[in-house]
Amino acid sequence: MIKSVRAAVTAALAAPVLAVAFAAPANAAPEDVALSVDVVGNDVEVIIANDSDGMIECAWAASSGLFGETHVRINVFVQPDAVYREPVTVADGRYDVIWNCESVPGVEAWGNTSETGTADPLTFIAPPCSSSGSLDILGSMDFGNFGSTETGSASTADAGSGGSVGSHCAGLGGS
């Protein structure tokens, strides 16, 4: 009898603790935690800024589709008033980023998942712009004959080829 009473009291005391531990996170101030992505060609930097009062634990994933490339990080801890940065190199494509951060202990939550909903969907394209390819508007410039006055002898001076013009993406890994 004493064991069953003790078990009932323990269960009654544990229920509120478990309810708090598994309760949905309270609404957080959206501006306290933010995830952004800085894209330069195929080099991407994921940035999480923690302006909340406590440490947060975050997870994020960048995916280029069902059968595409995916980059995932979990258990990322960020101190208050600190910034987490992680460089990632990705293949060409369009990436959707989902992320979620929770205060430690999990009272507040931020992110763009259906559970958090404090941020807008996030998408980036690598490389960040596209070009129309090589325009070759300068072409090859041939100045004609310079050299000997003898019949049948000729040499040319070539000013070079124009190459790709108007595409600042070429230096970023674009075509």
Side-chain angles (χ1 to χ4, degrees):
M1 178 88 162
I2 293 176
K3 285 185 180 181
S4 62
V5 171
R6 191 177 311 160
V9 169
T10 303
L13 292 175
V17 173
L18 291 174
V20 169
F22 293 106
N27 285 340
E31 66 276 2
D32 284 350
V33 175
L35 184 139
S36 61
V37 180
D38 187 19
V39 182
V40 178
N42 294 86
D43 295 325
V44 176
E45 186 173 44
V46 177
I47 304 162
I48 301 174
N50 180 9
D51 291 328
S52 74
D53 293 334
M55 182 169 32
I56 58 173
E57 180 180 7
C58 301
W60 60 267
S63 176
S64 65
L66 183 61
F67 298 108
E69 186 173 286
T70 300
H71 298 271
V72 177
R73 294 295 179 270
I74 58 173
N75 299 327
V76 174
F77 292 93
V78 185
Q79 295 293 327
D81 297 318
V83 175
Y84 157 89
R85 295 177 180 273
E86 181 167 348
V88 179
T89 301
V90 299
D92 289 357
R94 179 183 181 272
Y95 290 82
D96 295 312
V97 179
I98 58 169
W99 65 280
N100 183 42
C101 294
E102 290 186 0
S103 60
V104 178
V107 176
E108 294 182 291
W110 300 265
N112 64 358
T113 65
S114 60
E115 292 82 25
T116 54
T118 62
D120 292 329
L122 179 61
T123 299
F124 68 88
I125 297 173
C129 54
S130 63
S131 68
S132 59
S134 179
L135 297 178
D136 273 341
I137 63 171
L138 294 179
S140 179
M141 296 170 47
D142 186 358
F143 287 99
N145 290 334
F146 295 110
S148 173
T149 57
E150 284 183 36
T151 306
S153 175
S155 63
T156 61
D158 188 1
S161 290
S164 182
V165 178
S167 171
H168 66 280
C169 294
L172 300 174
S175 58

